[in-house]
């Protein structure tokens, strides 16, 4: 949510890196975090200059073309996902202190903003916008008037703020620095030579440096062209943790695809392969990326609670089926935002597994913190190295799926499922629940999955043609059973998010308990059909569900296993996926549904990378 970038270089470097170019490049890469308005402020010749504009970044670019900025060697930039105040030019960041010189940008929500605004208004401050950010700008401005020191002004102001925020500030009276603070909201520092950077995430400066520093909670960083200094909110000195960014800048480019979404759907074989890569030690035993609790403690787990939101929560439901089956540990899956408010039963033998692509989702972060306070052990499945949730967890399994830029999740979903399987197998190995031969058989099947995903991608044209033909459809239903159920939910979510079509996912068995009333002549219903192989196959039951909806006029589109020719009779269209073990099927059956949603939305002319109202990283509760 909200992309933030800051830059400072030596004045003589400005010919090489004009601050504005660095900021705009960063904003271009961060636009996926929010795109309802954008703005910049630069400092040059003892003055601050700002441009801001509602709508996409392109509007800001046009505005700057019309009203160019003086070349500068420092500045801040923002791309917004509105919380307080609509997406207007006025509410776009930066916001200013009373002197109209202090410029501030912000990500997050200041929870006590109403009280602060009332107090500041009573003291004579005049507000131009409806944002909570302007309250912070007035506070920092007031403290700067008193102290003349931007770092100290930031420190005093943040101690009055409650909630979640990353704040960046510049002031022309201290033209050698950019000051930033963070609480419950992401911020990383990029280290250059004679220049330094700030970003909501590393993509904000990945074109310029690979050396970065992580900040802890409640810290303030002051960057100058030659130095980075960090203090805690109480003023004590602090040090950040350095890390190297191993993402390739081209990984965050479209590489010839029309959209990041298409690129990321097509990257799924590699994403799953990378998630599975290098997971065994010399003895062939599975390992995690980081383990800050003993394997014995993990082994004694009596209950697992999976916490996640949205797509990640559907990956969590697949995880439940697999982990329970392989470990016999009971698994609950809970939407992270509901978890804290229902007095959950947790103790030190509970393992709380959070699943998050960004590692910054506020609902998930807060739920993990709550679980920790209650004594649970926490394990993070996450795609973003160094993000807050894995940093605060006892153990980590990174997805290694590469940057996911399209707002709606695709490759991270498959990678999360693959990582959940690894976790299930790891726990089964610790507990001796599966023989090593069984684990290596499942791993061998998992390693065959990327090629099978590729096969589905290679036959995408048929799915795309159906999507194009269905562009005017007002509603689509999705049915699945067992691990096909979360796949149906995910198929429906993708269609809602990308194509703004009413879509619902149901457990196929639930249909006759209510949702069947929705079926009328011509209603399209996607059905994720389980494999017909195996003694416990639910194939027959799902075929009965198909008959039930067809009898009431539904048009059924099935996703079935290769060789399941019986379903042809009950389907207007069938998309076949290669065979694999039943529990691993979601890694394959999800793919046609993603392609369908993306193609249908594209046919309608929508921006599949940045669907309306959505933000990639939901850093507010
Ligand atoms: C849907 C989607 C969201 C996210 C959810 C959690 O396509 O992307 O539902 O899955 O906001 O985000 P992370 O995984 O970053 O915690």
């Amino acid at each position: 949510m909200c992309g933030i970038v800051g830059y400072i270089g030596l004045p003589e470097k400005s010919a090489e890196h004009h601050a504005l170019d660095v900021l705009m490049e960063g904003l271009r890469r961060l636009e996926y975090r929010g795109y309802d308005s954008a703005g910049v402020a630069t400092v040059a010749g003892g003055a601050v200059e700002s441009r801001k504009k509602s709508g996409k970044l392109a509007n800001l670019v046009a505005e700057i073309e019309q009203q160019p900025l003086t070349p500068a060697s420092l500045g801040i930039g923002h791309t917004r996902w509105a919380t307080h105040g609509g997406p207007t030019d006025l509410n776009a960041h930066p916001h200013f202190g009373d002197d109209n010189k202090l410029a501030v940008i912000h990500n997050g929500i200041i929870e006590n903003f109403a009280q602060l605004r009332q107090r500041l208004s009573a003291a004579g401050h005049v507000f131009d916008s409806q944002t909570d950010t302007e309250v912070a700008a007035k506070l920092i401005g007031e403290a700067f008037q008193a102290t003349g020191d931007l770092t100290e002004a930031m420190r005093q102001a943040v101690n009055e703020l409650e909630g979640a925020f990353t704040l960046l500030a510049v002031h022309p009276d201290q033209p050698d620095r950019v000051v930033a603070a963070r609480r419950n909201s992401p911020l990383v520092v990029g280290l250059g030579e004679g220049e330094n950077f700030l970003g909501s995430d590393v993509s904000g400066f990945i074109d310029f440096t690979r050396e970065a520093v992580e900040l802890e909670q409640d810290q303030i960083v002051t960057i100058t062209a030659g130095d980075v200094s960090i203090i805690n909110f109480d003023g004590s000195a602090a040090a950040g943790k350095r890390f190297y960014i191993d993402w390739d800048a081209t990984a965050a480019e479209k590489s010839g695809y029309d959209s990041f979404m298409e690129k990321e759907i097509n990257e799924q074989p590699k994403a799953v392969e990378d998630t599975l890569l290098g997971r065994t030690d010399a003895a062939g035993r599975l390992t995690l990326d980081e383990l800050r609790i003993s394997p014995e403690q993990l082994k004694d787990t009596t209950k697992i609670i999976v916490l996640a939101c949205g797509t990640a929560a559907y990956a969590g439901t697949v995880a439940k089926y697999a982990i329970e089956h392989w470990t016999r540990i009971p698994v609950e899956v809970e939407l992270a935002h509901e978890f804290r408010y229902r007095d959950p039963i947790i103790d030190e033998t509970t393992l709380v597994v959070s699943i998050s692509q960004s590692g910054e989702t506020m609902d998930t972060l807060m739920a993990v913190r709550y679980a920790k306070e209650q004594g649970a052990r926490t394990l993070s499945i996450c795609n973003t190295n160094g993000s807050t949730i894995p940093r605060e967890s006892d153990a980590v399994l990174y997805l290694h799926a590469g940057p996911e830029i399209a707002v709606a999740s695709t490759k991270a979903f498959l990678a999360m499922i693959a990582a959940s399987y690894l976790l299930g197998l790891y726990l089964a190995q610790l507990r001796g629940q599966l023989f090593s031969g069984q684990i290596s058989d499942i791993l061998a099947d998992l390693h065959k999955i990327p090629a099978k995903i590729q096969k589905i991608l290679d036959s995408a044209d048929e799915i795309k043609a159906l999507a194009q033909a269905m562009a005017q459809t007002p509603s689509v239903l999705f049915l699945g059973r067992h691990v096909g159920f979360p796949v149906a939910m995910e198929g429906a979510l993708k269609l809602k998010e990308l194509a703004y079509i009413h879509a619902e996912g149901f457990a196929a068995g639930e249909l006759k308990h209510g949702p069947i009333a929705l079926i009328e002549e011509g209603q399209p219903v996607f059905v994720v059909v389980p494999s017909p192989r195996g003694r416990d196959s639910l194939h027959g039951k799902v075929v009965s569900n198909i008959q039930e909806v067809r009898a009431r006029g539904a048009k059924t589109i099935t996703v079935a296993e290769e060789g399941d020719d019986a379903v042809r009779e009950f389907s207007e269209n069938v998309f076949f996926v290669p065979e694999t073990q039943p529990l691993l099927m979601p890694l394959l059956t999800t793919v046609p549904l993603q392609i369908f949603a993306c193609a249908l939305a594209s046919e309608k002319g929508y921006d599949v990378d940045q669907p309306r109202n959505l933000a990639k990283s939901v850093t507010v509760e």
Side-chain angles (χ1 to χ4, degrees):
M1 233 157 229
C2 294
I4 276 189
V5 57
Y7 173 75
I8 184 159
L10 290 168
E12 57 268 31
K13 265 204 128 167
S14 61
E16 189 187 327
H17 284 167
H18 176 3
L20 184 66
D21 298 337
V22 179
L23 297 175
M24 295 308 283
E25 184 54 35
L27 289 184
R28 191 179 68 74
R29 289 198 182 276
L30 289 173
E31 201 186 8
Y32 72 95
R33 298 181 71 98
Y35 34 86
D36 51 40
S37 54
V40 289
T42 51
V43 173
V48 66
E49 289 180 276
S50 166
R51 303 285 180 268
K52 50 190 201 171
K53 206 70 199 145
S54 61
K56 298 228 167 159
L57 193 58
N59 297 2
L60 177 66
V61 173
E63 173 79 1
I64 294 172
E65 266 165 25
Q66 277 177 11
Q67 297 191 57
L69 290 162
T70 311
S73 54
L74 79 146
I76 52 180
H78 188 264
T79 172
R80 180 169 187 246
W81 187 86
T83 57
H84 293 62
T88 62
D89 288 356
L90 215 56
N91 287 331
H93 300 207
H95 292 282
F96 292 87
D98 280 349
D99 61 2
N100 271 328
K101 285 159 67 178
L102 171 90
V104 172
I105 55 174
H106 164 224
N107 172 29
I109 289 183
I110 296 166
E111 283 175 359
N112 58 338
F113 104 104
Q115 299 93 300
L116 289 170
R117 188 173 164 123
Q118 214 170 22
R119 196 192 85 201
L120 289 162
S121 298
H125 295 274
V126 179
F127 289 87
D128 293 326
S129 74
Q130 290 109 40
T131 63
D132 50 348
T133 308
E134 206 180 353
V135 166
K138 300 297 181 209
L139 277 180
I140 303 169
E142 211 176 38
F144 187 77
Q145 293 288 319
T147 61
D149 182 274
L150 196 52
T151 308
E152 177 56 17
M154 178 69 87
R155 196 190 72 76
Q156 291 183 10
V158 292
N159 277 296
E160 293 199 52
L161 304 179
E162 288 167 18
F165 48 83
T166 301
L167 290 162
L168 263 63
V170 289
H171 198 295
D173 292 354
Q174 276 200 315
D176 64 340
R177 65 197 54 206
V178 182
V179 177
R182 77 163 285 239
R183 164 177 288 165
N184 292 334
S185 184
L187 177 66
V188 274
V189 182
L191 304 174
E193 282 178 24
E195 56 185 356
N196 286 306
F197 308 80
L198 296 165
S200 314
D201 61 55
V202 297
S203 42
F205 48 74
I206 197 168
D207 290 292
F208 307 103
T209 183
R210 297 300 175 81
E211 296 294 337
V213 174
E214 269 174 34
L215 293 183
E216 292 297 327
Q217 186 68 304
D218 288 1
Q219 289 188 330
I220 295 169
V221 61
T222 303
I223 59 165
T224 64
D227 188 46
V228 171
S229 70
I230 303 171
I231 57 169
N232 296 308
F233 280 10
D234 63 7
S236 58
K241 190 171 145 208
R242 266 185 92 133
F243 66 103
Y244 181 77
I245 306 156
D246 54 9
W247 283 0
D248 184 346
T250 57
E253 295 291 350
K254 286 186 196 157
S255 313
Y257 288 97
D258 288 341
S259 62
F260 282 111
M261 165 128 302
E262 276 183 80
K263 176 181 173 236
E264 287 159 12
I265 289 174
N266 281 282
E267 277 172 351
Q268 294 185 114
K270 172 126 176 50
V272 171
E273 195 175 298
D274 288 350
T275 303
L276 299 174
L277 205 72
R279 294 297 183 181
T280 42
D281 62 17
R285 292 175 65 80
L286 279 164
T287 54
L288 299 183
D289 286 312
E290 291 171 22
L291 194 56
R292 292 179 278 266
I293 41 176
S294 69
E296 282 65 38
Q297 283 174 314
L298 271 183
K299 190 174 158 190
D300 292 342
T301 300
T302 57
K303 174 167 85 170
I304 293 175
I305 303 179
V306 178
L307 298 176
C309 302
T311 287
Y314 299 144
T317 307
V318 178
K320 172 185 165 72
Y321 284 96
I323 296 174
E324 284 188 340
H325 183 73
W326 290 329
T327 68
R328 311 310 299 150
I329 305 172
V331 181
E332 295 169 17
V333 185
E334 179 107 19
L335 292 171
H337 35 89
E338 287 297 313
F339 176 71
R340 281 197 291 159
Y341 304 105
R342 65 156 179 91
D343 200 10
I345 300 162
I346 321 169
D347 63 23
E348 66 285 353
T349 65
T350 310
L351 177 66
V352 164
V353 176
S354 63
I355 306 184
S356 173
Q357 189 287 130
S358 61
E360 301 290 352
T361 299
M362 183 60 76
D363 291 316
T364 310
L365 172 62
M366 289 304 174
V368 169
R369 284 190 185 155
Y370 177 81
K372 273 192 98 160
E373 279 160 25
Q374 305 298 308
R377 287 142 194 169
T378 54
L379 185 147
S380 155
I381 293 180
C382 182
N383 194 35
T384 311
N385 287 48
S387 56
T388 310
I389 297 173
R391 256 193 358 242
E392 295 192 10
S393 299
D394 299 317
V396 184
L397 225 167
Y398 281 117
L399 303 181
H400 304 301
E404 190 178 66
I405 306 294
V407 166
S409 191
T410 53
K411 67 172 178 177
F413 179 64
L414 292 203
M416 285 166 184
I417 293 173
S420 304
Y421 294 146
L422 290 173
L423 175 64
L425 295 174
Y426 174 80
L427 292 172
Q429 165 188 282
L430 273 185
R431 293 159 67 90
Q433 210 83 38
L434 292 178
F435 296 117
S436 60
Q438 288 173 297
I439 295 179
S440 46
D441 284 353
I442 299 168
L443 281 176
D445 282 347
L446 270 173
H447 282 286
K448 288 181 196 149
I449 292 284
K452 295 181 181 183
I453 299 174
Q454 190 57 53
K455 197 167 171 204
I456 302 169
L457 295 171
D458 291 344
S459 57
D461 285 352
E462 220 186 311
I463 306 165
K464 289 183 186 168
L466 177 69
Q468 282 154 4
M470 285 176 66
Q472 300 315 317
T473 307
S475 157
V476 182
L477 304 181
F478 292 78
L479 305 180
R481 263 188 124 111
H482 189 246
V483 286
F485 169 40
V487 171
M489 302 287 280
E490 174 60 6
L493 180 60
K494 284 287 95 74
L495 201 57
K496 283 184 240 197
E497 289 181 294
L498 301 182
Y500 319 145
I501 286 183
H502 168 254
E504 300 284 339
F506 298 109
E510 186 65 8
L511 203 67
K512 47 191 170 299
H513 300 286
I516 200 161
L518 291 170
I519 307 290
E520 55 187 11
E521 196 57 40
Q523 169 68 51
V525 181
F526 268 86
V527 187
V528 182
V529 184
S531 165
R533 295 171 299 123
R535 231 172 352 118
D536 305 325
S537 169
L538 286 166
H539 185 266
K541 294 214 166 17
V542 171
V543 167
S544 304
N545 298 138
I546 296 176
Q547 309 274 32
E548 288 155 14
V549 291
R550 282 176 75 84
R552 288 159 180 84
K555 280 171 64 175
T556 45
I557 303 148
T558 50
V559 177
E561 189 181 85
E562 273 169 5
D564 182 8
D565 291 322
V567 293
R568 285 187 198 277
E569 199 187 320
F570 313 113
S571 320
E572 317 290 325
N573 303 79
V574 194
F575 300 109
F576 286 112
V577 299
E579 277 184 15
T580 189
Q581 306 195 10
L583 275 170
L584 310 189
M585 284 296 276
L587 290 174
L588 303 176
T589 48
T590 305
V591 181
L593 307 187
Q594 295 168 330
I595 298 169
F596 177 79
C598 179
L600 197 149
S602 304
E603 179 67 15
K604 292 181 96 168
Y606 296 147
D607 180 344
V608 291
D609 287 340
Q610 298 178 343
R612 68 184 179 204
N613 306 338
L614 299 180
K616 181 70 183 161
S617 182
V618 186
T619 52
V620 294
E621 272 188 273

